[in-house]
Amino acid sequence: MKHLAIHGGTPVAVGQFIETAWPPVCEATAEKLKQLYLSRAWSFNSPKEQEFEQAFAAYHGAKHGIFMANGTVTLECALTALGIGPGDEVIVPALTWIATAAAVKYVGAKVVFADIDPLTAALAPAAFEAQITTRTKAVIPVHLYGGMADLDHIIAIAQKHHLAVVEDCAHMQGGKWRGRGVGAWGDVGSFSFQQSKTLSGGESGICLTNDDKLAELLYRTKHIGYSRYDQQGQAGTPPPSGLLCHNYRGLAFPAQILLDQLDELPALLDRYNAFTDRLRELTGDIAGFRVQAPGRMASPQGYYACGLIFDGSEWHGIPKARFLQALRAEGIMGINGTYGPAYKHLLFNLHEKDYRNSGCPTAERLSERMLVLMHWHMSHRANADALASAIHKIADNRKELHEC
Ligand SMILES: *Cc1c(COP(=O)(O)O)cnc(C)c1O
């Protein structure tokens, strides 16, 4: 007799796992959006954008926030403001969304992939240091899924080699490391508020920085050269010669949505952190299985997803697609594979001359051994219980997955 639901057994989590819709909506925000619409203050560094910039920067302990169209142009503007361009190299982790690498190409620099740490799934400090050359100008650590990059070591290495640090915090709104918000540690922190992210404005993004000069350059870069101190339509001073300026402006509407969500963020992150604590506790005895980043998390940790890693020899011969199917059959929703190594993504199409990949075996191996549960399913404690039951059941009946 077969036990796993994938083979006709009774699903263990059906009726237990609570599905959640994302992004969240609320009537009070809808009313504010209506008022904002009627106010005509939609763009051009509107009061709502400024209010959000200040609130988000203050939350993370950064001096400046520069609101933009999305979390890809924030990375691009960060590199532009730091003076990075053709002839330069920028190191990025192999496991990330392709935008991290694309931003480097947008400024004409060369993308250099470095391997990840198997515990955090983020950039490995030693792998980063090994890729530094005389052309290297910056590194972009990514706080990925439910883990964070080792900021202390990465920043120390960057300082030793006089490199800029741009934190890609698209997955980690609200996370704090040693009391200071992520994104406020590097020279620039970049956040995305795309629809699936932990704070969701539909689209938009923000750069954080503590550096007054960089803040002004970031502003000019996203607003076609205007200074923050200019009136719209009345340029007072020119941007620095050659600075590549764009129209990457944000809008007041997502800023309003995000302001309301920011109020709820601490409570949301509390629930997400409680979820992983519970899942870790309930699955601690499953051989060869772990939840991403044990003992290496921020407080609170920010989450885009909860990383589920089954890389022990116990799971040898069970492909991730099989494990995924088995989990879905047990009634678990919202589980996906990772992005995989960026240079292998279907949408990644940089020419070989535009990037260097000296081999990233940990990213390649972990990509085959890691699944992620999207963050909005982490709001319910019941879901941690359901997921743990499903993983236990699959582990106990692992042999059934080998058989076909
Ligand atoms: C979402 C994301 C981005 C890009 O953000 P967009 O707002 O979608 O442009 C960059 N880096 C990472 C790691 C992301 O997940």
Side-chain angles (χ1 to χ4, degrees), residues 70-72 75 96-97 99-100 142 168 170-171 192 194 197 204 339:
N70 60 59
T72 301
L75 290 167
T96 182
W97 173 233
T100 316
V142 183
D168 185 345
H171 288 194
S192 162
Q194 170 256 65
K197 303 289 159 81
S204 65
Y339 301 122

Side-chain angles (χ1 to χ4, degrees), residues 283-303:
T283 57
D285 59 339
I286 302 180
F289 174 85
R290 65 201 153 91
V291 179
Q292 184 189 357
R296 297 282 293 280
M297 308 218 303
S299 177
Q301 172 70 35
Y303 284 95

Side-chain angles (χ1 to χ4, degrees), residues 386-400:
L387 178 56
S389 310
I391 300 169
H392 267 287
K393 184 177 167 191
I394 294 168
D396 291 345
N397 297 280
R398 224 183 253 127
K399 274 208 306 284
E400 287 184 23

Side-chain angles (χ1 to χ4, degrees), residues 145-159:
Y145 300 121
M148 69 167 293
D150 182 347
L151 284 175
D152 293 345
H153 286 107
I154 290 168
I155 289 173
I157 294 165
Q159 281 173 349

